Amino acid sequence: MTGRLGSLDEHARRLSGTTLARLIADDPARSTDFALRAGPLYANFARQRYDRAALDALFAIAERADLAGALRRLCDGEAVNATEGRAALHPALRGDAAMTAPARSAHTQARAALAQMRGLYAHLADSAVTEIISIGIGGSDLGPRLLADALAPPDARFRVHFLSNLDGHAAQRLLARLDPQRSAAVIVSKSFGTRETLLNGAIVRAWLKDDARLYAVSAAPQRVAEFGIAPARSLPMWDWVGGRYSLWSAVGFSAALALGMEAFEALLAGAAAMDAHALSAPLRENLPVWHALTAVWNRNALGAATQAVLPYDERLRLLPAHLQQLVMESLGKSVRLDGTPVEADTVPVWWGRVGSDAQHSFFQALHQGTQVVPVDFIGVIRADHPHAANHSAQLANLLAQAEALANGKASDDPHLRHPGNRQSTLLLLDALTPAALGALVVLYEHSVYLQSVLWGINAFDQFGVELGKTLADRLLPAIEGQGAADDPVTRALLAQLRGRP
C-alpha cells in the first residue's frame, strides 16, 4: 500500500499476531473508550482489530485528509461531484446547516417540495384511495421501500406497494391483489426515461384506467406531462441529488404516504441532527469519521474483501439492500478524481440479512470459514411489540454472535474449534423511531463519502451503471427479431432465445 494510507501497513503487521481477546484483556478501558454516542445512536468499536496506536495513525490520516473540511465542502454545496461538475446537496434536503448561498437555495427548494408533498398527501387522504403503488428502481425504490417497511404503522392511512423489477411477473402478481378503484400510483424517475420504470408505469396506467390517480416525481416535467400526468400531481427532483441519496426528497413521497407526513418530517429531523453532529463533532468524537476510518482499516490494512451488515430487527430487513446500493455504487471506483488508478483497494462487497434468520443461513462461514468478514451488527434497545421474551432472546443472540466472532472457542477437536478474532462494530438504536432511522442512514451516507475522500475517488457519479443499460437498449431490436448483435457470444445466445440453436 502506498500514499496516505501506507502507514497502516506497519500497524497491521505489528498487530498480526495479536488477537482481539488479547487486545481487550490488555486494555479493558477500550470497551468504553472505543465507543461513542450521537443522539439516539450508540456505536461500539471495541471489537475492531486495532489498538490505540493504530487508531492514532488512522486519525492522523483523517487530519491530513482534512475530513472535517470535506464534510463542510459537501454540505456547503461545493462541486464535490467533480466528474460531472456539480454539487451533491442531499444534506440540504433535510436541514439548513449549510453556510453558503447554493446550499441555502437548495434547502429552500427542498422545503417548497415538502410543502407540495403535504398538499398531495392531504388530497389523497380526502379521496377513496387506500392503496399506493410506488413505481421506480434503484435509488427511486430502495430507500423509500426501506422507510415504508421499517416505519409504517399498522393503522396507516395508506398501504404502499413497491414495483421495481422489469420482469412482468412482478406487476402481474402485485396488481392481482389490488382493486384499481381504490388505488393510485406514484411514478418516480429523475429523467422520466428509465425503461424499467416507464414500462411498469404503462402497465399500471392501463390497469387504473384513470390518469387522475397518477402522480410523478421527476426532474423532467415535460416528459411527465407527455405521459399524461398534470403538473399539479408532479413533484420535483434536482440534478444535485443522486438517486441513492434521494429518499429525503420528494422521492420519499411514497414513504411519506406510508408513514404519515409527521413521521416523515421527524425522519428528516433525525437525519439533520446527524448532519449537525458530523459537521461539529471533533474527529475523535465524530461517529461517521470513526465508521469510515474503521472501514478503510478493514479494507486496506486487513484486506477484507467483503463486509456484512446484520440488523437484529425485522423492521430493518431491507437495510442491507439499501446499503448495498449506497456503498457499492458510491465506492465501486478504480480511478481517482484525476483519472489515475487508485493506490489501494476500494469498496468491499456488502451483503447481509436480518438476524436471527441469518444465523441459520451463512453464519457458519462467518464463524469457521477461511475468510474473515467484518460485521456491522445493528440492534434496537426498546421494542415496539409486547412480546418481551422474544425481544430478550433477540438481543441475547445479537450480543452472543458478536462475542463469539471475537473470542471464538478452543477445542482439541479441529471441527469444533472456532478461531475467533473476527471483528465487528455494534450499533444500537434506543428505539426504531423515524428520527433514529434517519440518523442511522445518514451515518452510513457520511461514512461512504469520507471513505471516498480517503481513497481520492468520486462517490457521486455512477458511470458503471450505464453501460449495460445502453447495450440493452441497443439489443432490444435484436431480441424482438429486428436486428442482430455485434458480439459473437450474444449472437449465439440470441439464437437460443429464438429457438434456433
Side-chain angles (χ1 to χ4, degrees):
M1 192 190 310
T2 59
R4 67 161 62 112
L5 302 178
S7 63
L8 300 181
D9 287 339
E10 175 188 344
H11 291 283
R13 286 192 296 270
R14 178 176 57 79
L15 292 169
S16 61
T18 306
T19 65
L20 268 171
R22 174 51 53 195
L23 287 172
I24 294 170
D26 289 348
D27 183 9
R30 67 185 273 142
S31 297
T32 52
D33 290 353
F34 285 27
L36 62 161
R37 173 175 284 276
L41 187 57
Y42 167 87
N44 193 303
F45 298 92
R47 288 192 173 120
Q48 289 294 336
R49 287 165 52 195
Y50 42 51
D51 63 2
R52 292 179 188 267
L55 200 56
D56 287 343
L58 284 165
F59 278 104
I61 290 170
E63 290 277 5
R64 291 196 297 272
D66 188 21
L67 293 192
L71 284 165
R72 173 51 65 188
R73 291 191 293 275
L74 169 73
C75 292
D76 278 353
E78 293 190 22
V80 293
N81 183 351
T83 54
E84 297 178 296
R86 61 192 183 206
L89 276 167
H90 46 280
L93 297 170
R94 55 219 184 200
D96 57 357
M99 299 168 62
T100 64
R104 290 197 299 270
S105 173
H107 181 65
T108 299
Q109 295 176 64
R111 298 301 296 180
L114 188 62
Q116 287 179 262
M117 290 170 63
R118 292 191 202 101
L120 291 180
Y121 183 100
H123 173 74
L124 279 164
D126 286 339
S127 74
V129 169
T130 59
E131 315 297 322
I132 303 294
I133 304 170
S134 183
I135 306 168
I137 198 165
S140 297
D141 172 78
L142 288 168
R145 191 190 288 255
L146 163 66
L147 300 181
D149 194 62
L151 297 172
D155 58 348
R157 169 64 181 80
F158 302 103
R159 291 193 304 169
V160 179
H161 314 269
F162 290 85
L163 178 59
S164 60
N165 201 311
L166 181 58
D167 190 336
H169 294 104
Q172 183 183 47
R173 289 180 172 183
L174 172 61
L175 299 183
R177 308 198 310 265
L178 304 179
D179 177 359
Q181 300 304 313
R182 301 186 64 83
S183 301
V186 181
I187 303 175
V188 186
S189 172
K190 180 185 286 190
S191 67
F192 225 74
T194 305
R195 184 180 296 276
E196 298 100 321
T197 299
L198 291 184
L199 284 170
N200 281 332
I203 291 171
V204 173
R205 178 186 181 182
W207 175 78
L208 284 174
K209 296 186 175 69
D210 184 359
D211 287 359
R213 283 182 278 120
L214 286 175
Y215 297 78
V217 183
S218 181
Q222 182 61 41
R223 289 183 174 180
V224 170
E226 290 169 358
F227 192 86
I229 300 175
R233 288 180 276 109
S234 180
L235 292 161
M237 295 174 68
W238 307 278
D239 65 2
W240 39 263
V241 179
R244 56 197 177 277
Y245 300 95
S246 66
L247 71 164
W248 321 104
S249 72
V251 168
F253 181 50
S254 297
L257 290 168
L259 277 58
M261 286 303 303
E262 182 177 345
F264 186 78
E265 294 187 48
L267 174 94
L268 298 181
M274 181 58 74
D275 287 329
H277 165 81
L279 286 171
S280 64
L283 293 182
R284 291 273 185 168
E285 302 166 25
N286 194 304
L287 184 48
V289 172
W290 270 78
H291 194 274
L293 292 174
T294 300
V296 168
W297 169 262
N298 281 323
R299 185 67 176 117
N300 297 134
L302 302 185
T306 78
Q307 166 75 42
V309 56
L310 304 172
Y312 271 69
D313 191 299
E314 176 70 12
R315 296 167 296 176
L316 293 175
R317 60 183 176 172
L318 300 183
L319 181 64
H322 175 67
L323 293 180
Q324 278 182 328
Q325 186 196 23
L326 172 66
V327 180
M328 296 174 70
E329 195 166 89
S330 298
L331 300 178
K333 315 291 168 60
S334 56
V335 295
R336 294 168 55 84
L337 291 169
D338 62 6
T340 60
V342 293
E343 299 171 326
D345 287 327
T346 59
V347 67
V349 174
W350 273 64
W351 56 286
R353 190 181 177 192
V354 70
S356 58
D357 285 346
Q359 295 174 193
H360 300 268
S361 175
F362 50 76
F363 268 49
Q364 170 64 40
L366 294 183
H367 285 287
Q368 291 185 305
T370 58
Q371 291 194 18
V372 173
V373 179
V375 177
D376 277 7
F377 285 104
I378 302 172
V380 178
I381 297 173
R382 190 186 76 236
D384 291 313
H385 60 70
H387 310 295
N390 289 61
H391 189 57
S392 294
Q394 182 82 326
L395 291 176
N397 275 274
L398 166 67
L399 298 178
Q401 292 296 337
E403 181 179 324
L405 285 170
N407 297 336
K409 180 183 178 182
S411 175
D412 293 335
D413 184 342
H415 299 286
L416 299 180
R417 186 179 306 130
H418 292 64
N421 204 34
R422 301 184 177 213
Q423 65 268 36
S424 65
T425 294
L426 181 62
L427 300 169
L428 290 175
L429 285 68
D430 293 336
L432 187 53
T433 63
L437 183 55
L440 178 67
V441 174
V442 172
L443 161 64
Y444 279 101
E445 286 187 359
H446 287 321
S447 175
V448 164
Y449 169 59
L450 294 173
Q451 290 171 63
S452 79
V453 173
L454 293 168
W455 285 320
I457 61 178
N458 184 0
F460 302 112
D461 63 22
Q462 55 186 65
F463 300 121
V465 177
E466 303 303 324
L467 177 59
K469 292 164 64 175
T470 301
L471 288 174
D473 289 342
R474 195 180 305 164
L475 284 171
L476 185 58
I479 293 285
E480 296 174 341
Q482 300 173 13
D486 297 328
D487 182 85
V489 176
T490 303
R491 284 200 299 272
L493 296 173
L494 283 170
Q496 292 292 325
L497 292 173
R498 294 168 180 162
R500 298 197 306 272

